[in-house]
Amino acid sequence: NTIKMATQNQAQSQPKTHDTESAASLERVTDYAEEKEIKGDIGKAFSNIDVQREAKAKKFQEEQAKVKIRKEDVEFIMKELEIPKSVAEKSLQSHGGDIIKTLCTLTA
């Protein structure tokens, strides 16, 4: 009986290399699959963020295009601050056509 128990103890104490290798291989496969899934999810998230940014930018541009600005205001800002027409127009539009807010922002 003692010989039988000693043989059983040896068998239990020795790791089964085949099982260990299989488990390690399975772990690598599942790690790879999880990484691939995570990368795909991250890619989708960044894509959604880009789409949202583009939509917000387009909406902002459309709203800015609706703002009425006076030609005299644009010319005044250009002359007094010595800036290009495009900068004066964009600044006026972003401030809703308010020349005072525009001047305060441009001179700050």
Side-chain angles (χ1 to χ4, degrees), residues 28-74:
R28 284 192 299 272
V29 169
T30 55
D31 286 349
Y32 174 77
E34 288 171 355
E35 284 179 27
K36 190 173 179 182
E37 184 179 333
I38 289 170
K39 286 179 183 177
D41 291 345
I42 290 171
K44 287 177 187 177
F46 279 121
S47 178
N48 288 339
I49 290 170
D50 288 341
V51 168
Q52 290 173 355
R53 279 186 188 159
E54 290 172 9
K56 285 181 181 180
K58 184 177 180 181
K59 184 178 178 182
F60 179 76
Q61 288 174 349
E62 289 172 354
E63 289 174 2
Q64 294 300 312
K66 293 177 185 178
V67 173
K68 301 292 182 192
I69 56 174
R70 295 178 38 203
K71 183 179 178 181
E72 298 84 23
D73 293 343
V74 174

Side-chain angles (χ1 to χ4, degrees), residues 60 64 67 89-97 102:
F60 179 76
Q64 294 300 312
V67 173
E89 288 175 338
K90 285 180 185 177
S91 186
L92 268 169
Q93 285 177 330
S94 68
H95 291 93
T102 303

